[in-house]
Amino acid sequence: MNRDRSLEDLECDRWPSPLGDETRLVATVLELRGKPVGDLTVEDLRLLIGQSVGLVHLLPLAVDILQRDPLAEGDMYEGDLLAAVLSKGSPAMLFPGHPHAHRRYRAGDFPVAEHTHAHTIKLPVWHREQDRPLAEQYIRAAIKVSDHHKELL
């Protein structure tokens, strides 16, 4: 794959330019589709993969990064790129038709990252002001559990 080309070029598919009334997420995705894939950061990859954009081109790039750094981190948390990749399915699903898909990644290849992912609490990211009270309830509950964890065991 030519890493100097954008997703728009690789997929021969130009999405409409932002009109100005998009959410920040949509505007970011539209912008990143025009960026050369070789210039995409871990956060860019996490975001695009999380939105199921350009998977056939981006998953191999993400796996290359994860082989060097299983806990590669975007803007969310340590291991968030791995979480995004794993959320898209099994290796065979992620790399359909690739003759060596089953060799790219198998359970156990990244034991520390897999353990971290399996034992990390995952909560949605809130973008609306009206969700703030719910987010604060989750935070208070997590602190309460943490403060009393020995009693819960």
Side-chain angles (χ1 to χ4, degrees), residues 18-19 23 26-29 77 92 106-107 123-124 134 136 148:
L19 300 173
T23 64
V26 171
T28 302
V29 167
Y77 55 88
R106 287 182 296 239
L123 301 174
L134 181 59
E136 290 170 357
H148 299 282

Side-chain angles (χ1 to χ4, degrees), residues 123 126 131-144:
L123 301 174
W126 291 276
D131 294 329
R132 192 175 187 91
L134 181 59
E136 290 170 357
Q137 283 179 325
Y138 275 117
I139 292 167
R140 285 193 302 274
I143 291 169
K144 187 175 181 180

Side-chain angles (χ1 to χ4, degrees), residues 12-117:
C12 298
D13 184 16
R14 302 227 183 267
W15 292 6
S17 297
L19 300 173
D21 60 349
E22 299 84 4
T23 64
R24 188 178 78 200
L25 175 62
V26 171
T28 302
V29 167
L30 290 172
E31 176 187 337
L32 292 176
R33 282 186 45 79
K35 188 175 182 179
V37 295
D39 293 344
L40 294 172
T41 65
V42 169
E43 173 60 14
D44 297 339
L45 290 169
R46 182 203 63 79
L47 187 143
L48 290 167
I49 290 169
Q51 296 301 309
S52 298
V53 174
L55 294 179
V56 71
H57 303 289
L58 301 183
L59 285 170
L61 297 176
V63 169
D64 287 345
I65 291 169
L66 292 170
Q67 286 176 327
R68 292 188 308 277
D69 181 6
L71 295 178
E73 181 177 355
D75 290 349
M76 302 295 287
Y77 55 88
E78 190 175 43
D80 59 3
L81 180 61
L82 176 64
V85 169
L86 293 177
S87 75
K88 298 306 162 194
S90 70
M93 288 173 50
L94 298 176
F95 302 97
H98 189 282
H100 303 292
H102 63 285
R103 296 183 195 165
R104 294 293 301 234
Y105 169 80
R106 287 182 296 239
D109 283 352
F110 303 106
V112 174
E114 291 166 15
H115 180 270
T116 300
H117 177 72

